[in-house]
Amino acid sequence: MNAADYAMQTSEIGNRLTELRIERRQKLTEDENDQLLATLKDLNGTLDEYEPTVEFDNGLFDEIVESIMVNSSEQLTFKLIGGIALTEQVPKKGR
C-alpha cells in the first residue's frame, strides 16, 4: 500500500469514527431525554392523584423530593425527581 492510499484510508476511518461518536452522543441524549420525560410524567401523575390533607404526607415527600439544599439561613432549595428545583424563603418567625 502506498502512502497516498494509506492516508486516504486513515482519513476515511477517522471520519467514520467521528460520525459514529456523534451518533452515539445523539442516542445517549435521546435515551436520557426519554428517561427524564418518563420521570416527569410519573411526577405529574403522582401530583394529580394527590388529595391535599391537613397533615404532612411523609410518603409523598419521600417519593418526590430527591434532596434539600440549605442555601442560607433564610433559603432552602428542594430538588424534585426529574431535576426540578424549587427555592423557598424561610421566614424568620418560622425557624
Side-chain angles (χ1 to χ4, degrees), residues 16-32:
R16 183 66 181 141
L17 278 172
T18 300
E19 290 171 7
L20 290 172
R21 286 183 180 129
I22 290 169
E23 185 178 330
R24 179 178 174 262
R25 267 189 243 120
Q26 289 171 341
K27 289 191 183 293
L28 289 173
T29 300
E30 288 172 5
D31 290 345
E32 289 172 359

Side-chain angles (χ1 to χ4, degrees), residues 2-77:
N2 64 34
D5 289 339
Y6 176 79
M8 185 176 72
Q9 284 184 354
T10 302
S11 177
E12 289 174 1
I13 291 171
N15 290 339
R16 183 66 181 141
L17 278 172
T18 300
E19 290 171 7
L20 290 172
R21 286 183 180 129
I22 290 169
E23 185 178 330
R24 179 178 174 262
R25 267 189 243 120
Q26 289 171 341
K27 289 191 183 293
L28 289 173
T29 300
E30 288 172 5
D31 290 345
E32 289 172 359
N33 289 342
D34 290 345
Q35 185 178 15
L36 179 58
L37 184 58
T39 301
L40 291 173
K41 284 181 180 179
D42 289 344
L43 174 61
N44 189 47
T46 299
L47 294 176
D48 281 346
E49 293 173 6
Y50 177 69
E51 294 188 24
T53 62
V54 176
E55 294 182 22
F56 181 78
D57 190 332
N58 285 325
L60 178 65
F61 185 84
D62 289 341
E63 186 177 339
I64 66 173
V65 177
E66 288 183 344
S67 65
I68 302 170
M69 186 172 79
V70 178
N71 302 327
S72 69
S73 64
E74 298 175 359
Q75 194 177 65
L76 300 172
T77 298

